[in-house]
Amino acid sequence: MTPEPDLPREPDLAPEPDLAPDPAVPATPGPWDGRPSLWLLRTPEHGEPYPLLDDSALDADEHARAAAFVRRSDRDLYLAAHISLRRLLGACLGTSPGGVRFTREPCPQCGGPHGRPALPGPRPPLHFSLSHCEGLVLICVAGSPVGVDAERVPDPGAVDDLVKELHPAERADLAALPAGSRAAAFCRVWSRKEAYLKGVGVGLGRALDADYVGDRPRHGAVHPSGWSLRSLDLGPHRGTHAAAVALRDTALPDMRVLPDAYPHTPQQVRRT
């Protein structure tokens, strides 16, 4: 009996380990040293009251956006995120949080002024990305384009329609999982996809099935070239949230935890 030839197999690649805070104790940002850094802020959840937020550094546009939120919890989350972003960038740049100015890069798809948020100037000193959801704020600073995303795990019933929009290999990955774990796995994929699309600068304007960002790259379905993608280990939020970072042509960053009081206490930043 003639033996059957060995058929090529796709490699069984284990998922990359999630990035975890290092060190896990809260830290305060200082002047930027040129290396990518990722910062996690834990915020109140489920209607818990926020301590008084120090929004004195925000500009008129940020105040207007905050005032437009109907729910106070949404407004406070927005304020906590943008106060923290300004304080972190001010520390990196050696300026006051209120002195940080923002612009939008041109959209890579249409050239319109709604691309990735950026610092002004033809050669900004650093790139950044901000994301927030109930319970978490995530900020990354890097020397090349970067995107981050944080999400709460959705109800299982909300996942079915969204899964249909994903890359075929991502849909296959999710279909192979037990039904009870699909919502959390979907959230991991979705957070990586949003982080990557924010890094590219197109957001959800790009087709969701165009790129594979799943846990197990394989023949015909590999992560976008030139980008490092990684999910984050959120510790006590691991079962309720998912988050990810995407960096172009750069090693992945260390992740640090901001003190809970970071956006609340008045802050003095030395000008240089």
Side-chain angles (χ1 to χ4, degrees), residues 105-115:
E105 295 181 352
C107 172
Q109 290 186 318
C110 69
H114 50 259

Side-chain angles (χ1 to χ4, degrees), residues 1 6 26 35 74 79 81 91 94 124 230 270:
M1 185 174 179
D6 291 334
R35 295 180 297 177
D74 293 335
L79 289 172
R230 190 71 63 85
R270 181 174 58 86

Side-chain angles (χ1 to χ4, degrees), residues 45-106:
E45 293 187 77
H46 308 305
E48 298 172 1
Y50 273 73
L52 183 65
L53 289 157
D54 178 18
D55 61 358
S56 58
L58 301 188
D59 62 22
D61 181 64
E62 288 166 318
H63 281 293
R65 287 175 178 268
F69 286 102
V70 175
R71 296 196 308 172
R72 179 172 181 175
S73 59
D74 293 335
R75 180 171 66 252
D76 286 346
L77 175 59
Y78 173 90
L79 289 172
H82 285 260
I83 293 166
S84 297
L85 176 66
R86 280 186 169 275
R87 289 185 170 189
L88 197 154
L89 292 178
C92 288
L93 299 171
T95 189
S96 67
V100 178
R101 297 291 178 263
F102 299 107
T103 188
R104 287 273 185 174
E105 295 181 352

Side-chain angles (χ1 to χ4, degrees), residues 11-261:
D12 183 15
L13 298 178
E16 294 277 5
D18 293 345
L19 286 177
D22 181 26
V25 296
T28 301
W32 189 49
D33 61 6
R35 295 180 297 177
S37 59
L38 186 64
W39 297 88
L40 181 70
L41 174 71
R42 300 185 178 104
T43 63
E45 293 187 77
H46 308 305
E48 298 172 1
Y50 273 73
L52 183 65
L53 289 157
D54 178 18
D55 61 358
S56 58
L58 301 188
D59 62 22
D61 181 64
E62 288 166 318
H63 281 293
R65 287 175 178 268
F69 286 102
V70 175
R71 296 196 308 172
R72 179 172 181 175
S73 59
D74 293 335
R75 180 171 66 252
D76 286 346
L77 175 59
Y78 173 90
L79 289 172
H82 285 260
I83 293 166
S84 297
L85 176 66
R86 280 186 169 275
R87 289 185 170 189
L88 197 154
L89 292 178
C92 288
L93 299 171
T95 189
S96 67
V100 178
R101 297 291 178 263
F102 299 107
T103 188
R104 287 273 185 174
E105 295 181 352
C107 172
Q109 290 186 318
C110 69
H114 50 259
R116 185 174 42 237
L119 300 176
R123 299 187 66 182
L126 54 82
H127 297 262
F128 66 89
S129 184
L130 166 70
S131 183
H132 54 81
C133 65
E134 183 184 358
L136 295 176
V137 172
L138 190 62
I139 302 170
C140 191
V141 174
S144 62
V146 58
V148 297
D149 188 59
E151 305 278 349
R152 279 194 69 91
V153 174
D155 293 332
V159 170
D160 294 340
D161 288 338
L162 293 171
V163 167
K164 299 173 185 176
E165 305 296 325
L166 299 180
H167 188 281
E170 294 166 349
R171 299 200 301 267
D173 289 344
L174 294 171
L177 297 174
S181 61
R182 282 181 197 151
F186 165 82
C187 199
R188 285 170 58 87
V189 173
W190 187 270
S191 64
R192 282 199 295 271
K193 192 171 292 283
E194 281 221 41
Y196 168 65
L197 295 177
K198 287 170 70 175
V200 172
V202 297
L204 296 180
R206 181 177 171 88
L208 296 176
D209 62 356
D211 308 285
Y212 178 79
V213 297
D215 270 328
R216 295 177 180 270
R218 67 195 70 198
H219 294 305
V222 295
H223 288 168
S225 177
W227 287 84
S228 297
L229 305 175
R230 190 71 63 85
S231 292
L232 310 180
D233 183 343
L234 298 175
H237 291 82
R238 193 180 297 121
T240 57
H241 294 70
V245 59
L247 274 166
R248 192 179 77 186
D249 300 326
T250 307
L252 289 163
D254 293 332
M255 182 163 69
R256 300 179 178 90
V257 178
L258 289 167
D260 291 347

